[in-house]
Amino acid sequence: MSIWLDYLKYLEENIKIESVLDQVYQRALRNVPWCAKIWQKWIRSYEKWNKSVLEVQTLLENALAAGFSTAEDYRNLWITYLEYLRRKIDRYSTDEGKQLEILRNTFNRACEHLAKSFGLEGDPNCIILQYWARTEAIHANNMEKTRSLWADILSQGHSGTASYWLEYISLERCYGDTKHLRKLFQKALTMVKDWPESIANSWIDFERDEGTLEQMEICEIRTKEKLDKVAEERQKMQQMSNHELSPLQNKKTLKRKQDETGKWKNLGSSPTKITKVEMQIKPKIRESRLNFEKNTDSEEQKLKTAPPPGLKCRKMNKWK
């Protein structure tokens, strides 16, 4: 698969001949039809070659029937085709409304296809819905539809994440009105769990730029109340975690004490006892040696002073 991608990249950068590239795309997808990246590159090549929308749509249908292994492959394929349709919108054309309607229907079809095939795992981060919401705000100037789409996005488990609210706030600030924006700030500050400081800072910055003194004071009061509450909750969570860890630490210290007073508790004191015994034995050995030396000395003195019995008898006979 990577060989085909490298080969196509080489041809696109060096050959750049439509007929050659088109044949190579066909050969590549006969061999690896499950490679979504090749289908995406082929769709973009059709756009470069100014192929008709119908021909590009035929490519999409063939790709969807190829049978990819993951939801990500299908999602990326849909995004590639949606990008193509968005670039086809001509603001200065009388067909702009029709083009926008085609794009809306395609967005809707992509979301339904992914949801039907994979459920929420088809687009867990709501990338296509966010793209749709931006398209409605930027190209269709339809903030009502944008707000409806964002309500759907937040309802899919993202209401506690600050980054989603900041994206929504950015769209509302650029293309909406201040009335909806202030309501959005308050709602976001209430719902966000992971990083409420970012919402508070964004709201304060907005009021600095565009708000009155009264609106600034209301913002400061609301943000302070929320951040104080968050700090208190975090402190409680920290105390609970420390309390949960303390029994484990107590168990470890108790286990160490039990190990120290266990079966081998006297093992460490044995060398000192041995040395004490040796110290007690050594003086006795010295005393015995001294006694032995004294005994030998006294015996030698006795041998020197007392004459042998035979010598005494000889002297007596001589005098006789």
Side-chain angles (χ1 to χ4, degrees):
M1 186 168 63
S2 60
I3 295 174
W4 283 109
L5 288 170
D6 293 339
Y7 184 36
L8 287 166
K9 182 180 178 182
Y10 169 78
L11 293 176
E12 287 175 349
E13 292 176 354
N14 296 281
I15 304 300
K16 300 179 182 179
I17 300 174
E18 178 183 338
S19 58
V20 174
L21 279 167
D22 196 38
Q23 291 180 3
V24 174
Y25 274 118
Q26 293 178 26
R27 286 173 54 199
L29 289 170
R30 278 198 299 268
N31 287 276
V32 284
W34 57 85
C35 182
K37 289 183 179 180
I38 296 178
W39 287 104
Q40 293 170 45
K41 289 173 71 68
W42 201 4
I43 289 172
R44 288 189 172 181
S45 295
Y46 264 35
E47 184 180 0
K48 292 175 185 176
W49 302 335
N50 294 319
K51 297 287 186 179
S52 65
V53 177
L54 185 60
E55 289 176 297
V56 178
Q57 186 179 357
T58 303
L59 268 186
L60 172 71
E61 300 298 337
N62 293 334
L64 292 173
F68 303 133
S69 58
T70 63
E72 184 181 3
D73 290 337
Y74 283 104
R75 183 172 63 250
N76 291 335
L77 179 69
W78 277 113
I79 290 172
T80 302
Y81 184 64
L82 289 165
E83 290 172 354
Y84 161 73
L85 290 180
R86 199 276 306 161
R87 287 189 286 266
K88 295 293 289 183
I89 295 173
D90 186 2
R91 290 190 174 185
Y92 304 101
S93 173
T94 55
D95 295 333
E96 182 186 2
K98 184 179 178 181
Q99 292 167 350
L100 283 170
E101 193 61 30
I102 292 171
L103 183 56
R104 284 192 188 100
N105 293 334
T106 308
F107 271 118
N108 190 49
R109 185 188 169 195
C111 293
E112 287 181 353
H113 174 261
L114 292 172
K116 186 177 179 180
S117 301
F118 302 97
L120 291 177
E121 294 301 318
D123 191 10
N125 297 320
C126 299
I127 296 172
I128 292 178
L129 280 175
Q130 290 187 57
Y131 185 20
W132 189 358
R134 290 194 302 271
T135 302
E136 292 289 349
I138 298 169
H139 299 285
N141 196 22
N142 188 351
M143 283 305 298
E144 291 299 323
K145 183 63 177 177
T146 300
R147 294 180 188 115
S148 174
L149 289 168
W150 265 104
D152 191 13
I153 293 167
L154 295 170
S155 67
Q156 296 185 26
H158 303 297
S159 60
T161 308
S163 59
Y164 286 85
W165 286 100
L166 291 172
E167 174 73 16
Y168 185 10
I169 286 166
S170 177
L171 275 178
E172 189 67 56
R173 186 169 182 177
C174 291
Y175 303 100
D177 55 72
T178 56
K179 180 182 177 181
H180 284 92
L181 182 58
R182 286 192 174 93
K183 289 181 179 178
L184 190 58
F185 274 124
Q186 295 181 35
K187 192 173 181 180
L189 196 65
T190 305
M191 299 295 292
V192 166
K193 304 295 182 185
D194 61 342
W195 194 21
E197 292 87 351
S198 61
I199 305 297
N201 293 333
S202 181
W203 190 4
I204 290 170
D205 289 342
F206 168 71
E207 296 298 350
R208 281 174 181 161
D209 295 339
E210 301 186 29
T212 63
L213 176 60
E214 183 182 358
Q215 290 166 340
M216 185 67 186
E217 288 177 344
I218 292 171
C219 170
E220 288 175 345
I221 292 169
R222 298 282 175 82
T223 53
K224 187 177 183 304
E225 288 176 354
K226 176 64 177 179
L227 295 180
D228 289 345
K229 186 178 179 181
V230 169
E232 185 179 353
E233 289 176 355
R234 287 174 180 171
Q235 188 176 3
K236 287 181 180 178
M237 292 293 292
Q238 185 66 30
Q239 290 175 355
M240 288 176 64
S241 62
N242 292 336
H243 182 68
E244 289 175 358
L245 288 173
S246 59
L248 294 174
Q249 293 175 352
N250 292 334
K251 286 182 180 179
K252 288 181 180 179
T253 54
L254 182 62
K255 189 175 180 181
R256 286 177 186 171
K257 289 181 180 179
Q258 289 176 353
D259 292 340
E260 289 174 358
T261 59
K263 183 178 179 181
W264 306 103
K265 62 181 179 180
N266 295 325
L267 183 62
S269 60
S270 58
T272 55
K273 287 189 175 182
I274 291 168
T275 54
K276 286 180 180 179
V277 171
E278 288 177 353
M279 292 297 291
Q280 291 174 359
I281 292 170
K282 284 179 180 178
K284 291 182 179 179
I285 294 170
R286 288 177 183 174
E287 288 178 2
S288 62
R289 286 179 180 174
L290 290 171
N291 293 331
F292 178 74
E293 289 175 357
K294 287 179 181 180
N295 293 331
T296 52
D297 291 340
S298 61
E299 288 176 358
E300 287 178 358
Q301 288 177 359
K302 287 179 180 179
L303 290 171
K304 287 180 181 180
T305 54
L311 181 62
K312 191 174 181 181
C313 294
R314 287 176 187 172
K315 286 182 178 181
M316 292 292 291
N317 293 326
K318 188 176 181 181
W319 287 107
K320 287 180 180 180

